[in-house]
Amino acid sequence: MRVLGLPSLLLAAALASTAATAAGHDSRLYLYETDHLRLIYYDKHHEYIVEHLARSFENSLAFHRRLFDYTPSEKIVVLLQDFGDYGHGGTSTVPWNFISIGMEPFDYVYETMPANERMNWLMHHELVHVVATDKAAPADARFRRLFHGKVAPTDDDPISMLYSYLTSPRWYAARWYHEGIAVFLETWMSGGLGRVLGGYDEMVFRTMVLEDRRFYDVVGLESEGTTIDFQVGQNSYLYGTRFVTWLALTYGPEKLIAWFDRDAGSARYFSTQFEKVYGMPLSEAWSRWIAWEHAWQAHNLERVRRYPVTADRPVTRRALGSVSRSFVDPVRRRLYVAANYPAKPAHVSAVDLDTGEERILTSVKGPALYYVTSLAYDAAGGKLFFTTDNAHGWRDLREVDVETGKSRRLLRDFRAGDLVVDRADRSIWAVQHHNGLSSIVRIPPPYDAWQTLLTLPYGKDVFDLDISPDGSVLTASLIEINGRQRLVELETDRVRRGDGTYDVLWEFRNNSPENFVFSEDGRYLYGSSYYSGVSNLFRFDLETRKLDALTNAETGYFRPTPGLDGALVAFRYSAEGFVPVTLPIEVREDVEAIEYLGQRVVEDRPIVRTWNAGSPLEVDLAAVTKYSGVYRPGAHLGLASIYPVVEGYKDSAAVGAKLEVTDPVGLDRFGLTVAYSPDEALAANERIHAIAEYRHWPWTFRAEHNGSDFYDLFGPTKVGRKGTAVTVDFASYLVNDRPRTLEVRFRVGDYRNLDRLPDYQNVPVTIDAFQDAAAALEYSNFRRTIGAVDVERGLGWRLAVRGNYVDSELLTRAYATLDVGLPLPIPHSTLWLRPSIGYSFGDPARPFSNFYFGGFGNNWVDHGSVRRYREYYSLPGVELNDVEANNYGKLTIEWTLPAIRFRHAGWPALYSNWMQFSLFSEGITTNRNVDLPRRDVRDVGAQVDFKLVMFSNLESTLSFGYAIAFEPDRPRSTEFMGSLKILR
C-alpha cells in the first residue's frame, strides 16, 4: 500500500531481527520458500497464516506473469510482521524484491479499504509494484549485468542515482502512478472488490465538483496535494486510481497495460512512455480527465437531486479534517470529538453546540488518517477515553477529564480500539488486534487491565462497537473472509462467557454498515452506509427490523449520534474534511443511486471481467514448496551490486568502485569502497583509499585507510583523513514511543598516522596513534502538523562525553544541548531556542581536549543536515574550526517562517515543492578560567531552502545562507553559503 524506500526497508529488517526477542519469543527467524518466494517471519504464533499467504502470493504472481509476460529477476522476499495494529503493506524492488506485510485486520473507516480477504488482497496490490518496477527491458538487463544487480541510490555516493535509474527506471515515477495501477488491478483481480468500485473515491471527486474546488495538476499533486490536504498521502491513491480508471474507460485497459509495461519498445521514463502510448503529453491527458470528471460528477449530482436534498445546520465554521466518533453532552451542550486538520495538532476537543466554539482538551499522539483516534465517553465519570499511536505501532489507552483537560495513560501497548463504554457498569469494551486476529476485550474500572472475552477466527473482523443503554446488547459491523458485510448484535452476557453467537440485523451486501449507535431509549440504531452509492444516514428499528433512510446527501453523511431536542448530530463530508452538522430525523422514502466510474468500465470494457485472479485455494502449494525452517541471514549473503565511484580526498579526486553484499532482508550488509587518486601532488602513501563497513543492527564496524568521500570534492568541509581508522559503533533505543525516543550511542576507535583531528579538519595533530571512546544519550519529542515541512514544536536534548587516550593520557570532554520549539500564532511558524554548554577536563594546550566552532558547515554539494547552523559546533560568519574552546556556553535563537508552497514549479522529472526562510542569531562565550584566549562571538544570519524533486521520488534541497559575525576588538566577518543536499 506504499512503496518503500531503502531506509524504510532496512528499518523493517532491523525490527524483524529484534521483534521476537522484545516480545519474549524465540529470537530465530523462520523461512518458508517456494519457487518464487522467500517468506520470512519471526514468531511461531504467525505460522497459522504462512501457507495461506504463500498460496495468495503464488496465485497473484501467476496472474501478473500472464498479464505482463513477467519473470521475476530474483525470488521475492516477503516479511510477515506484526509491528502495527492495522494491516498494511509496502514494497521495494531496489536493490532486491522485498514486500513487508502487516498481518493485522484493516482499518475500514468510511470504506476507504475494501472488504476483501486481506492476505489475498495485499498480494494482488503489492505484486503490481514488483512487476511495474522490477520488469526489465533489454537495456535495463544489460545495466543490471554490468553492475551485478539493481543499484540502490545512496546519498553516500550520489552517482548511484544514475546507475539506479539505468537498472530500474520505472522505480522513478510519481507515487500516484504506482498506486493508481495497483488499485486498478487489485479491484478486478478480486472480482470487483476494490476501491475502483468504492463509494469514498466517488464522493471525494463529486464533492470537489460540487464545491468548485481546484483539482491538483500532475505536478501539483505531489508537490502540494499530498502535504497540505487533510488526506495527505492518500491523495496519491485517489488521483492515481481515478486517472488510471478514466484512461481504461476512454482508451481501453489494453493500452493502459502498455503504458505500465516495460519491454523492448518502451521508453524508460514513465511520462515519456505515456506520450508514446497515448500520443499526447501526460499533462494534456490529465487536463482532459479533469474536464471529464466535472461532467461525470455533474451528472451524478443531477441524479441525487431528483429527490429533495437534505438540509443541515453546520455546528462549526470550518471543517475539522479527519474526525473520530463523537458524543453529545446534553447537560453541557457540547460535542466531544477528536479532529486533525492542517496547521493544528491532532486533538480531542469540546465543541459548543450553540456557538460552534472549539475548546481543545488534549492532544493526540500518533493520530490516524480519517478517524484520528478511537474515542469513548463515560458521562457518569466525566471522562473521555481515547487511544494513541494509532497510525503506527501499538496503541495505548488514555483518559481525559472533560472539565480540566487533565490526561493520563491507563494502559500501554493495549493494541485495541473501537472503544465503547458500557453505561451499566462503566467498563470499556474494545476490539483488540494481535497476531492477525480480532478479539473483543473488556476493561473494568479502574482500567488498569483488560480481559479477553472472545477471539474471532481468522477471516472474521468486527469494528464500530456500541452497547445498548441497559448494557444487555452489543452491536458491531462484521466483515467476513468472503466479503460479506453485516450489522450484528450479540448478548453481552454470552460474550462474557466466550460465546460468539450473533444475530444478523441487516445484510449490507457490498457496503459496510458504518458507526451504528443506539438511540437513548435503545429502540433504534443510527448509522451510515453507501447503500445507494452515496453515504447516507440510516435508522434501524430493533422492534420491526426495518431499515429506513434518513438523508439524501450530495456529498455524504457519517458518524450520526443522537443530539439535542430530538435531532441528530452527524458529519458531512467536504473537500476540507468533515463538518459537524445537526439535522432532523426524517424518514426518506426515495433515494436515487449514483453511477460508479468502475461500473461504467465493467460495462464498456468487459475485458476486466476476465482479470479475476481466482482463488488461492487452487494453488498446489506442495508442488512449489522448496524449504520450511530456520532463516539464517549469513547463509543468504549475496552480491547486491558493484559500480564505479568518484571520491574526494583533501583537494584531489579519486576514482574507484563500490561493492555491496547483503542478505535478502538486509539484516547483514557489507560494503567495500576502493579508490585511487592519480594526483602526483599527493604522497605515494596517500593515493590509495579504502573503506570497509559491516552492519548488523545495532552494530556497525568500519575500517578505513586514507578515507575519501564524494562530498570532499565540493566545498569547505572535508571528512576524509590521512591514515588508518578502525571504529565500532552501537546504537539502540531505550525508549521508542514515537515521536518520543531516547537513544543511546557508543563508539570506540583506533586511529593511526592522522594529520588532522577526526572531527576538526583544520586542527593538525602529530600523534602517530591514539584511541577514543564516546557515548551519547539523545532524547527527542518533536511534532509537526499537517502542511508543515519541518518539526514545529517539542523538545530534544543530547548529553555526550568523549575521551581520547593520547600518549598514555586520557583527555575527556563533555557537552549538552537542548532544543525547544515554541509555535507562534502564525501557522507553521516556530521560535526555537537552542542552548548548549561544554566543558573539557583535559589540558587546554592539547588540541584533543578542546571544542572547535565555526562556519555554516554545508558543502556546495552535501548530504548532511540542511540547516547545519543548528548544530552545536556551527558558527556561521567565522571560519571553520576558528573558535577554540576548552569550555563554552552557546545560545542559538531561530525563527522559521511558514513555507511557501508551489502549485506548479517544474515538470514531473524535476520540480520544486516549497521554499522556506529561517532567521537566526547565535552567541558564544568561551574559555572562562582557562589559559586560552577568551572569545565572545555573536552572529546574525538567514537561510532559504528550496525543496527539489528529481525523477519523481529523489528529494533534494537547495539552500542559500548568509551570516555576519561580530566580536569585540576584531573586524566583523561574513559568510555566504550555497548548498545542494542530495537525497532529502
Side-chain angles (χ1 to χ4, degrees):
M1 288 145 49
R2 62 182 184 274
V3 178
L4 290 176
L6 183 60
S8 299
L9 189 155
L10 295 177
L11 176 61
L15 288 170
S17 70
T18 57
T21 302
H25 300 302
D26 188 343
S27 60
R28 290 181 297 178
L29 296 175
Y30 301 94
L31 172 64
Y32 188 94
E33 191 166 10
T34 71
D35 288 338
H36 306 103
L37 168 70
R38 286 193 180 107
L39 173 55
I40 297 170
Y41 58 103
Y42 57 84
D43 193 331
K44 284 286 189 179
H45 290 94
H46 304 164
E47 204 160 50
Y48 74 93
I49 205 173
V50 164
E51 291 190 357
H52 170 57
L53 179 53
R55 282 194 179 90
S56 297
F57 171 91
E58 292 290 344
N59 185 60
S60 297
L61 182 62
F63 173 87
H64 291 304
R65 293 186 69 184
R66 293 190 301 270
L67 184 64
F68 287 94
D69 188 24
Y70 166 68
T71 300
S73 61
E74 74 264 352
K75 287 194 176 185
I76 300 168
V77 175
V78 174
L79 173 65
L80 179 64
Q81 43 88 357
D82 189 21
F83 305 150
D85 283 346
Y86 284 106
H88 60 277
T91 298
S92 173
T93 59
V94 178
W96 50 81
N97 295 334
F98 179 92
I99 300 174
S100 176
I101 295 296
M103 67 186 302
E104 296 300 337
F106 290 151
D107 169 18
Y108 298 106
V109 63
Y110 309 131
E111 281 196 40
T112 52
M113 292 293 288
N116 190 6
E117 195 291 302
R118 60 183 181 272
M119 294 301 135
N120 190 46
W121 179 86
L122 282 167
M123 289 300 97
H124 290 345
H125 184 99
E126 300 303 333
L127 283 171
V128 178
H129 296 321
V130 174
V131 176
T133 56
D134 179 58
K135 187 179 179 184
D140 309 337
R142 286 195 294 271
F143 282 111
R144 292 180 186 184
R145 289 192 295 270
L146 176 65
F147 298 128
H148 296 275
K150 293 174 288 184
V151 178
T154 170
D155 59 349
D156 290 336
D157 293 287
I159 198 171
S160 62
M161 293 187 297
L162 172 61
Y163 307 143
S164 184
Y165 178 71
L166 293 175
T167 56
S168 300
R170 292 296 174 81
W171 177 258
Y172 296 92
R175 190 180 182 190
W176 63 260
Y177 168 90
H178 292 299
E179 302 302 349
I181 188 62
V183 173
F184 182 79
L185 286 177
E186 98 201 1
T187 301
W188 313 121
M189 292 173 69
S190 302
L193 289 175
R195 287 170 286 187
V196 172
L197 284 162
Y200 186 87
D201 291 41
E202 287 287 348
M203 178 181 69
V204 167
F205 293 101
R206 185 173 66 252
T207 302
M208 292 178 67
V209 171
L210 174 68
E211 297 179 359
D212 194 24
R213 298 286 178 157
R214 177 177 59 87
F215 280 61
Y216 296 110
D217 65 24
V218 71
V219 172
L221 172 60
E222 296 298 329
S223 67
E224 185 184 30
T226 58
T227 52
I228 66 171
D229 192 284
F230 86 99
Q231 302 190 92
V232 288
Q234 283 298 312
N235 271 327
S236 293
Y237 292 80
L238 291 164
Y239 277 75
T241 301
R242 201 71 182 176
F243 178 62
V244 162
T245 306
W246 171 78
L247 286 174
L249 173 65
T250 307
Y251 302 102
E254 298 89 344
K255 208 169 222 184
L256 182 69
I257 296 301
W259 177 30
F260 286 89
D261 199 8
R262 178 67 175 140
D263 56 24
S266 64
R268 285 185 175 276
Y269 197 52
F270 80 103
S271 61
T272 308
Q273 173 67 1
F274 182 90
E275 190 164 356
K276 184 172 184 178
V277 171
Y278 289 98
M280 72 181 94
L282 178 59
S283 58
E284 180 181 335
W286 194 275
S287 297
R288 291 186 183 184
W289 158 60
I290 292 174
W292 176 92
E293 190 72 54
H294 278 78
W296 174 266
Q297 298 301 349
H299 172 68
N300 270 334
L301 287 167
E302 288 177 6
R303 293 174 67 109
V304 171
R305 291 166 183 160
R306 291 176 184 175
Y307 299 100
V309 173
T310 298
D312 59 51
R313 182 186 71 83
V315 175
T316 58
R317 287 184 290 272
R318 60 154 299 154
L320 300 183
S322 297
V323 294
S324 70
R325 178 179 175 180
S326 65
F327 299 88
V328 170
D329 182 342
V331 176
R332 301 175 179 87
R333 300 185 68 83
R334 295 175 182 168
L335 179 72
Y336 301 120
V337 64
N340 190 21
Y341 47 85
K344 184 75 71 174
H347 55 273
V348 177
S349 64
V351 178
D352 190 299
L353 286 169
D354 296 317
T355 66
E357 294 298 318
E358 183 185 12
R359 180 171 73 91
I360 295 178
L361 299 176
T362 188
S363 63
V364 177
K365 181 172 77 74
L369 180 63
Y370 294 130
Y371 76 90
V372 188
T373 183
S374 181
L375 189 68
Y377 179 44
D378 174 20
K383 297 290 194 300
L384 287 164
F385 302 98
F386 66 100
T387 55
T388 59
D389 303 318
N390 301 282
H392 305 287
W394 292 358
R395 288 166 290 180
D396 296 346
L397 178 66
R398 298 186 67 90
E399 72 170 17
V400 59
D401 188 283
V402 299
E403 287 297 335
T404 66
K406 184 177 180 180
S407 175
R408 67 186 180 107
R409 185 170 65 186
L410 301 174
L411 292 169
R412 182 175 182 177
D413 293 341
F414 173 52
R415 304 206 66 182
D418 296 284
L419 309 179
V420 62
V421 172
D422 182 353
R423 284 183 269 183
D425 60 7
R426 296 178 61 189
S427 63
I428 302 171
W429 292 53
V431 179
Q432 186 178 75
H433 291 166
H434 183 57
N435 289 332
L437 302 176
S438 295
S439 298
I440 297 176
V441 299
R442 179 176 176 270
I443 312 97
Y447 314 115
D448 56 359
W450 69 82
Q451 307 160 348
T452 301
L453 304 178
L454 176 66
T455 298
L456 301 178
Y458 179 83
K460 285 192 175 185
D461 299 319
V462 292
F463 59 99
D464 286 347
L465 302 186
D466 201 38
I467 294 179
S468 60
D470 63 4
S472 64
V473 175
L474 171 75
T475 60
S477 299
L478 173 69
I479 288 182
E480 299 189 67
I481 197 168
N482 57 7
R484 297 182 73 177
Q485 302 171 73
R486 302 168 170 182
L487 180 64
V488 300
E489 69 173 5
L490 304 88
E491 295 180 11
T492 53
D493 286 342
R494 284 188 173 184
V495 176
R496 286 189 181 95
R497 299 193 300 269
D499 184 349
T501 303
Y502 59 83
D503 292 327
V504 176
L505 299 179
W506 197 264
E507 180 86 44
F508 278 79
R509 298 182 184 176
N510 295 324
N511 297 104
S512 295
E514 294 271 350
N515 293 111
F516 273 80
V517 299
F518 281 93
S519 61
E520 287 300 315
D521 60 8
R523 176 177 174 177
Y524 298 107
L525 290 170
Y526 296 104
S528 67
S529 177
Y530 295 94
Y531 212 50
S532 64
V534 177
S535 182
N536 279 300
L537 302 184
F538 291 86
R539 183 181 70 182
F540 182 77
D541 190 322
L542 290 165
E543 292 183 4
T544 65
R545 303 289 180 169
K546 184 182 178 185
L547 185 73
D548 291 315
L550 300 181
T551 62
N552 183 35
E554 290 181 302
T555 62
Y557 288 112
F558 300 88
R559 297 191 182 280
T561 190
L564 303 177
D565 306 319
L568 283 179
V569 174
F571 291 87
R572 172 171 38 84
Y573 179 83
S574 78
E576 294 182 348
F578 294 89
V579 181
V581 298
T582 61
L583 62 168
I585 300 175
E586 297 177 348
V587 174
R588 295 276 180 154
E589 296 299 331
D590 295 296
V591 176
E592 182 70 19
I594 65 165
E595 186 177 6
Y596 283 4
L597 170 57
Q599 187 59 40
R600 178 67 67 86
V601 171
V602 173
E603 294 169 359
D604 291 4
R605 305 291 181 175
I607 190 175
V608 298
R609 295 177 182 268
T610 69
W611 287 359
N612 192 320
S615 171
L617 295 176
E618 297 177 3
V619 174
D620 184 358
L621 196 58
V624 297
T625 299
K626 300 300 181 184
Y627 174 80
S628 179
V630 174
Y631 175 77
R632 296 179 176 85
H636 292 83
L637 285 172
L639 180 63
S641 62
I642 303 175
Y643 53 85
V645 296
V646 179
E647 303 279 291
Y649 177 77
K650 294 185 175 179
D651 294 321
S652 302
V655 294
K658 183 172 185 176
L659 173 148
E660 292 277 353
V661 175
T662 73
D663 78 288
V665 186
L667 295 174
D668 289 283
R669 299 176 58 84
F670 173 74
L672 175 64
T673 302
V674 179
Y676 176 77
S677 293
D679 189 350
E680 294 183 357
L682 290 174
N685 64 350
E686 290 188 65
R687 295 185 187 177
I688 296 177
H689 316 280
I691 300 173
E693 185 175 84
Y694 172 72
R695 295 182 182 181
H696 180 86
W697 192 85
W699 298 94
T700 301
F701 304 88
R702 183 180 175 94
E704 53 185 271
H705 175 68
N706 297 330
S708 58
D709 188 270
F710 172 84
Y711 298 96
D712 283 7
L713 293 168
F714 306 96
T717 300
K718 309 287 186 181
V719 299
R721 295 290 185 270
K722 173 183 178 293
T724 302
V726 178
T727 59
V728 179
D729 288 83
F730 173 88
S732 185
Y733 288 105
L734 301 178
V735 176
N736 191 6
D737 186 24
R738 294 185 183 274
R740 187 173 65 93
T741 62
L742 180 62
E743 186 176 17
V744 61
R745 296 175 176 268
F746 297 100
R747 165 179 280 199
V748 294
D750 179 84
Y751 303 86
R752 307 279 169 161
N753 302 315
L754 267 66
D755 59 358
R756 292 289 187 272
L757 285 180
D759 292 339
Y760 305 113
Q761 67 188 57
N762 293 327
V763 182
V765 293
T766 57
I767 301 298
D768 291 336
F770 69 94
Q771 294 75 42
D772 77 352
L777 194 63
E778 298 182 22
Y779 175 83
S780 175
N781 189 6
F782 297 113
R783 304 189 187 189
R784 70 175 73 192
T785 61
I786 295 173
V789 302
D790 198 0
V791 292
E792 299 173 293
R793 66 189 66 218
L795 179 145
W797 51 260
R798 189 172 198 260
L799 302 175
V801 61
R802 183 165 186 170
N804 293 294
Y805 189 69
V806 184
D807 292 337
S808 301
E809 183 180 5
L810 181 63
L811 305 173
T812 306
R813 65 183 188 270
Y815 70 91
T817 67
L818 179 67
D819 299 277
V820 181
L822 306 172
L824 299 175
I826 305 171
H828 306 309
S829 181
T830 304
L831 179 67
W832 288 94
L833 303 177
R834 307 182 192 276
S836 174
I837 59 172
Y839 189 85
S840 174
F841 302 91
D843 181 359
R846 305 293 297 270
F848 290 93
S849 298
N850 299 326
F851 305 89
Y852 297 86
F853 302 85
F856 274 96
N858 304 67
N859 276 344
W860 307 321
V861 180
D862 208 332
H863 69 149
S865 60
V866 171
R867 296 183 175 101
R868 200 79 58 84
Y869 61 80
R870 294 175 174 176
E871 303 291 345
Y872 82 95
Y873 54 78
S874 177
L875 193 61
V878 301
E879 292 292 329
L880 286 171
N881 310 150
D882 183 68
V883 177
E884 182 180 19
N886 191 256
N887 57 70
Y888 75 90
K890 182 171 180 267
L891 175 64
T892 300
I893 300 175
E894 175 190 353
W895 177 26
T896 57
L897 282 70
I900 299 172
R901 295 277 182 180
F902 302 130
R903 289 183 175 177
H904 190 116
W907 309 268
L910 176 63
Y911 59 85
S912 179
N913 294 26
W914 48 259
M915 172 182 70
Q916 186 177 41
F917 282 97
S918 300
L919 305 174
F920 61 86
S921 179
E922 301 178 331
I924 187 172
T925 182
T926 70
N927 301 321
R928 291 184 176 265
N929 304 318
V930 296
D931 191 20
L932 281 176
R934 177 175 170 179
R935 297 186 66 174
D936 295 288
V937 186
R938 308 289 183 270
D939 71 6
V940 292
Q943 183 168 315
V944 58
D945 304 303
F946 297 85
K947 177 63 72 175
L948 305 176
V949 180
M950 298 175 288
F951 293 108
S952 298
N953 64 9
L954 292 174
E955 295 188 7
S956 300
T957 306
L958 179 64
S959 302
F960 299 98
Y962 184 77
I964 305 174
F966 308 88
E967 189 172 4
D969 303 322
R970 295 196 184 197
R972 71 181 185 182
S973 56
T974 63
E975 181 183 6
F976 172 80
M977 181 273 294
S979 178
L980 174 65
K981 178 187 162 117
I982 302 296
L983 292 182
R984 297 186 186 275

